[in-house]
Amino acid sequence: DFTEMMRALGYPRIISMENFHTPNFMLVSEVLLWLVKRYEPHSDIPGDVETEQDRVFFIKAVAQFMATKAHIKLNTKRLYQADGYAVKELLKVTSVLYGAMNTQGGERADLPEDDSTKFKFDLGSKVADLKAARQLASEITSKGAVLYDLLGKEVELREARTESIARPLEINEAEKVMKIAINSVLEEVQKTKDMLNNVALDEASLEAKIEKRKLELERSQKRLQTLQSVRPAFMDEYEKIEKQLEKQYSTYLERFRNLTYMEQLLDDQRRTEQEMFE
């Protein structure tokens, strides 16, 4: 049955049960990936099964996909065995796809046997409708549960509602409640006005401080200009002493150069006398 269903669904390769007498994980993974693509062409399950860790991840991903999308529970241990027991798990998925194909295409039996491999069953176009239907079903269930709970309380609520409607309206009590509400609103309004007044006072205080700082800055700038324009009383004496210091410094440089030159000549003379003596 499994091989016939796979051939009817359009699997490109010929599958024999002899392929599963010994563990054949590559074939099982290929069939699983093909079935997932048949169910939802835009699925993003990786097909890498080179290492042991990749195979475990692949089996878990396929099982989770089938559980969430198709509500098909697969035995991951049997799939990992990749033998005859794995075929039973694969048969769960192929049966659903095969049944859907027969439901939507009753004329499938009239097709020639040669064209069976050309049949392409694509359920991807119906995935959006299935998701919307599933979401609506869950919403209907939740709304129904809430409605059931509310209807269960209707007996008590009906008595309370009837009692409230039948009770005469007391003008004094209603007036009292309205006065309390009005006073509460008036208090809120007064608080808001006080806050606005405080904001105005803070704004005026800040403006006064800013004006005071501006006046201080102007006075400081005027004082700086005055100090820069006034010539100190000792400036004349300072300039006179500075000129004398320049002259003294030039004299010092001249004498220092002469002394250095004289010392050099003396060293040369001593060196010459030493050489002559030797």
Side-chain angles (χ1 to χ4, degrees):
D1 294 339
F2 174 71
T3 56
E4 293 179 359
M5 288 181 183
M6 291 296 293
R7 185 167 58 253
L9 290 174
Y11 187 67
R13 292 177 54 183
I14 298 176
I15 302 176
S16 174
M17 293 306 298
E18 296 178 356
N19 298 130
F20 300 98
H21 287 170
T22 58
N24 191 350
F25 191 86
M26 298 303 295
L27 180 59
V28 172
S29 62
E30 183 181 349
V31 172
L32 280 174
L33 190 60
W34 187 85
L35 291 174
V36 170
K37 294 296 183 181
R38 290 293 91 191
Y39 191 85
E40 186 172 349
H42 301 290
S43 61
D44 56 351
I45 295 178
D48 189 8
V49 292
E50 295 296 331
T51 63
E52 180 180 355
Q53 185 177 3
D54 294 336
R55 293 181 179 183
V56 173
F57 180 77
F58 174 78
I59 293 296
K60 287 184 178 180
V62 172
Q64 185 177 3
F65 175 83
M66 287 299 173
T68 55
K69 300 294 184 180
H71 299 286
I72 300 174
K73 185 177 180 181
L74 299 176
N75 192 326
T76 56
K77 293 183 179 180
R78 291 184 175 181
L79 289 175
Y80 190 80
Q81 290 177 1
D83 52 7
Y85 292 101
V87 177
K88 296 181 180 181
E89 302 301 319
L90 294 174
L91 192 60
K92 296 179 182 179
V93 183
T94 55
S95 300
V96 174
L97 296 177
Y98 186 76
M101 183 189 67
N102 290 334
T103 302
Q104 293 187 359
E107 67 279 4
R108 173 64 186 85
D110 298 334
L111 292 176
E113 185 176 358
D114 295 337
D115 295 336
S116 63
T117 58
K118 299 181 181 178
F119 183 83
K120 301 297 180 181
F121 179 70
D122 188 4
L123 198 60
S125 59
K126 300 296 181 180
V127 172
D129 296 338
L130 290 174
K131 291 181 179 179
R134 191 180 298 114
Q135 183 177 1
L136 289 174
S138 62
E139 291 181 359
I140 291 172
T141 303
S142 61
K143 297 294 184 182
V146 174
L147 182 61
Y148 178 80
D149 294 338
L150 294 177
L151 290 176
K153 299 178 182 179
E154 175 60 20
V155 178
E156 300 177 0
L157 296 177
R158 186 187 301 113
E159 295 178 357
R161 185 170 59 252
T162 303
E163 184 180 354
S164 298
I165 294 173
R167 187 175 59 186
L169 181 62
E170 297 181 1
I171 302 300
N172 295 330
E173 184 177 356
E175 184 179 0
K176 183 179 180 181
V177 173
M178 290 298 295
K179 285 182 178 180
I180 293 173
I182 292 172
N183 292 331
S184 177
V185 172
L186 292 176
E187 289 179 358
E188 293 294 332
V189 172
Q190 187 62 34
K191 289 181 180 179
T192 305
K193 289 182 179 179
D194 294 338
M195 293 175 63
L196 293 174
N197 293 330
N198 293 332
V199 169
L201 293 175
D202 294 339
E203 184 178 0
S205 177
L206 290 174
E207 289 180 355
K209 290 181 179 180
I210 292 172
E211 191 66 25
K212 183 178 179 181
R213 297 297 182 184
K214 287 182 178 179
L215 295 175
E216 292 179 357
L217 178 60
E218 291 178 358
R219 285 197 298 267
S220 299
Q221 290 178 348
K222 290 179 180 179
R223 184 179 179 185
L224 177 61
Q225 293 176 359
T226 303
L227 292 175
Q228 290 177 349
S229 60
V230 173
R231 183 179 177 83
F234 57 86
M235 199 65 186
D236 295 336
E237 184 179 1
Y238 171 77
E239 292 177 353
K240 183 179 179 180
I241 295 173
E242 186 177 10
K243 290 180 180 180
Q244 293 178 359
L245 182 60
E246 289 178 358
K247 292 179 181 180
Q248 293 293 333
Y249 183 69
S250 61
T251 303
Y252 165 75
L253 289 178
E254 183 179 359
R255 291 182 179 182
F256 181 77
R257 287 195 297 269
N258 292 335
L259 178 60
T260 305
Y261 178 69
M262 296 284 290
E263 289 178 352
Q264 184 178 358
L265 289 178
L266 181 58
D267 291 338
D268 293 340
Q269 182 67 26
R270 289 176 179 175
R271 191 181 304 108
T272 304
E273 289 179 357
Q274 184 68 28
E275 291 177 359
M276 290 176 63
F277 177 76
E278 292 177 358

